[in-house]
Amino acid sequence: MNIQLSEHFNYKKLLRFTLPSIIMMIFTSIYGVVDGFFVSNFVGKTSFAAVNFIMPFLMILGCIGFMFGTGGGALIAKTMGEGKQEKANQLFSLFIYVSLACSIVIMILGIAFVRPVASILGAEDSMLDNCVLYGRVILIALPAYILQYEFQSFFITAQKPQLGLIVTVAAGVANMIGDALFVAILQWGLVGAAAATALSQIIGGVIPFIYFSRKNTSLLHLTKTKYDGKALLKACTNGSSELMSNISMSIVSMLYNVQLMKYAGEDGVSAYGVLMYVNLIFLAAFIGYSVGSAPIISYHYGAENHKELKSLLRKSLVVIGIFSIAMLLFAEVMAKPLAMIFVGYDQELLKLTLRGFSIFSFSFLFAGIAIFGSSFFTALNNGLISAMISFLRTLVFQIAAVLIFPLFLEIDGIWISIVAAEIMAALVTSLFLIGKRSSYHY
């Protein structure tokens, strides 16, 4: 039985509704990690470093999918909560068409500028060539990649989170099989890893587009629409926090790579790559829950159901707290097995990675608060506060920490800076949640 956005949500129902999006985000992160596994073990650590070096740039180019998905999804859910279903479908169609047009332009620019960007960041010789090779193959599928992330949010808004999960799993399985075939068996190297990822993105973006283009049983479908500049601006404002978060995270990752090249060379970049793979998977649980619960929050905000809104916030903070403790414990226990998967062939690199693991895993205690808080304000259609939380968490605090701590603690300072930034972001988010209680009646 489908759970309706208009229902009252206890813990069981809330977890049932958000579980598909949690699994969806985790699965998306896992199959991205598969690329790293095959490249590291079958191509070599220089190629592995190159993938991690250029990936932040590729993530920046694809992040408008997050912006339209979360910001547009919040506006669509609020519109449905107001009882305007036809208008909701028009907005949904507008966001898809506009993002698709933007993605084609971004793809062309990305292919043209990937080499100078990699060079400016410090990639040289074979590492530079590997960055360009991997990046250009991935960028061919950029429009589908942007749609994939956008539809992950819209599936939830359309009350079809399970279908979104099925599409994500299909894309992930295609990536894993593609990596095994192209990299391990056919030995296509970096081209094979990039082709496998591009294939998965095409599946994840095209199948939902076809589904929503046809008659379906969800709350949303693609239809004729008209230009609505006010709605586009509102969606971009609502989703600016997710846009900022992804751009900032990518910029910070580039800065981390520069710092790591300075203090530890290619081994430092590779070790950071392993930590970020695990970080992506763990944070995906927070992101998945936040994305999954956002349409519920938006709907009840639009319906002015203040009692349910208060209940949703209280339950969400409890869930996030439990997730945080479980992730810290799991990361500390599984540090060596996880590191062995990627860099077990190099003892010095393994030692460096384990040292980073033992420090940065404490960031999981605090990261969920800011991630959910930002999404919560996006769902309330307050893009400004949401963007401020994301901006401070993913850019200001991270940059300040990674520039200051290594001056005194060198390589350990880089790992500590991740934890410090998350603590500061959690404090700021808590202040915003307390300060806006009376405004939104939660």
Side-chain angles (χ1 to χ4, degrees):
M1 181 184 297
N2 286 336
I3 300 174
Q4 307 297 313
L5 293 176
S6 56
E7 295 181 28
H8 167 69
F9 283 79
N10 55 27
Y11 281 106
K12 181 179 179 181
K13 192 176 292 184
L14 185 59
L15 289 172
R16 277 183 58 200
F17 189 85
T18 58
L19 185 60
S21 63
I22 294 172
I23 298 174
M24 184 164 43
M25 289 296 178
I26 291 175
F27 203 89
T28 301
S29 301
I30 288 175
Y31 73 70
V33 170
V34 172
D35 267 5
F37 168 77
F38 278 98
V39 170
S40 182
N41 287 277
F42 290 92
V43 187
K45 69 179 183 180
T46 297
S47 296
F48 180 56
V51 170
N52 292 303
F53 204 80
I54 199 61
M55 187 57 71
F57 173 67
L58 304 179
M59 291 292 292
I60 287 177
L61 299 184
C63 65
I64 68 165
F66 281 106
M67 179 183 71
F68 278 112
T70 56
L75 184 56
I76 292 167
K78 180 175 179 290
T79 303
M80 290 192 297
E82 295 168 345
K84 304 173 183 177
Q85 185 60 44
E86 183 179 354
K87 177 65 174 178
N89 278 310
Q90 291 177 349
L91 291 174
F92 168 65
S93 303
L94 176 65
F95 300 148
I96 293 296
Y97 301 151
V98 169
S99 62
L100 183 58
C102 291
S103 68
I104 295 172
V105 176
I106 295 172
M107 174 191 69
I108 295 171
L109 294 174
I111 291 173
F113 287 100
V114 63
R115 179 176 287 275
V117 168
S119 180
I120 290 171
L121 291 173
E124 299 177 341
D125 303 325
S126 61
M127 187 174 174
L128 175 60
D129 292 335
N130 285 336
C131 286
V132 175
L133 180 64
Y134 184 82
R136 284 180 173 166
V137 175
I138 290 284
L139 285 168
I140 293 172
L142 183 69
Y145 174 65
I146 288 174
L147 287 179
Q148 179 182 17
Y149 277 113
E150 193 168 358
F151 280 125
Q152 283 179 344
S153 293
F154 286 150
F155 267 124
I156 301 164
T157 307
Q159 290 185 176
K160 290 291 183 179
Q162 294 87 354
L163 186 56
L165 174 59
I166 291 171
V167 172
T168 301
V169 170
V173 170
N175 191 27
M176 294 174 187
I177 294 174
D179 273 321
L181 177 62
F182 300 153
V183 181
I185 298 175
L186 298 179
Q187 298 183 352
W188 289 358
L190 271 182
V191 172
T197 298
L199 174 64
S200 73
Q201 292 169 352
I202 290 171
I203 291 173
V206 173
I207 290 178
F209 187 86
I210 294 173
Y211 172 79
F212 284 110
S213 297
R214 300 164 62 90
K215 186 177 180 180
N216 62 73
T217 58
S218 78
L219 294 181
L220 298 173
H221 63 273
L222 290 170
T223 184
K224 290 183 179 179
T225 188
K226 57 183 179 181
Y227 181 78
D228 188 337
K230 185 177 180 181
L232 281 172
L233 179 61
K234 184 64 175 176
C236 291
T237 303
N238 285 347
S240 61
S241 58
E242 281 68 28
L243 177 70
M244 177 61 68
S245 177
N246 283 275
I247 290 178
S248 299
M249 286 171 63
S250 298
I251 291 173
V252 168
S253 292
M254 294 177 188
L255 179 57
Y256 270 81
N257 284 330
V258 170
Q259 288 284 74
L260 286 160
M261 285 289 285
K262 175 181 177 181
Y263 287 100
E266 283 186 14
D267 278 2
V269 175
S270 295
Y272 179 66
V274 175
L275 299 186
M276 288 304 100
Y277 282 142
V278 176
N279 192 52
L280 278 174
I281 295 171
F282 281 29
L283 295 190
F286 293 132
I287 296 170
Y289 178 82
S290 300
V291 169
S293 61
I296 308 170
I297 295 167
S298 295
Y299 185 95
H300 287 285
Y301 171 60
E304 298 185 357
N305 190 346
H306 302 144
K307 182 178 179 181
E308 185 66 15
L309 198 60
K310 182 177 181 179
S311 173
L312 286 167
L313 175 59
R314 184 177 65 252
K315 290 180 174 66
S316 294
L317 292 177
V318 171
V319 171
I320 292 295
I322 294 172
F323 280 6
S324 301
I325 296 171
M327 287 178 188
L328 170 62
L329 296 175
F330 185 81
E332 290 292 337
V333 171
M334 295 298 294
K336 187 169 184 178
L338 290 171
M340 288 287 292
I341 293 174
F342 293 94
V343 294
Y345 55 83
D346 188 315
Q347 289 303 307
E348 285 300 314
L349 180 53
L350 177 62
K351 182 180 178 181
L352 179 62
T353 304
L354 289 175
R355 176 63 179 173
F357 244 119
S358 66
I359 299 172
F360 112 103
S361 57
F362 283 91
S363 66
F364 298 131
L365 276 178
F366 309 98
I369 298 174
I371 291 172
F372 173 75
S374 177
S375 176
F376 182 72
F377 283 108
T378 295
L380 294 176
N381 285 260
N382 190 326
L384 178 61
I385 291 181
S386 180
M388 287 178 66
I389 293 173
S390 291
F391 179 72
L392 291 171
R393 172 182 173 260
T394 58
L395 191 65
V396 176
F397 295 151
Q398 292 271 10
I399 288 178
V402 78
L403 290 177
I404 294 172
F405 282 95
L407 295 175
F408 306 100
L409 302 170
E410 296 187 339
I411 188 70
D412 279 352
I414 295 178
W415 313 132
I416 292 172
S417 65
I418 301 172
V419 182
E422 295 291 9
I423 292 174
M424 290 186 284
L427 289 173
V428 168
T429 303
S430 299
L431 292 175
F432 274 123
L433 287 171
I434 293 170
K436 287 295 180 178
R437 284 180 301 178
S438 57
S439 298
Y440 292 102
H441 308 288
Y442 55 71

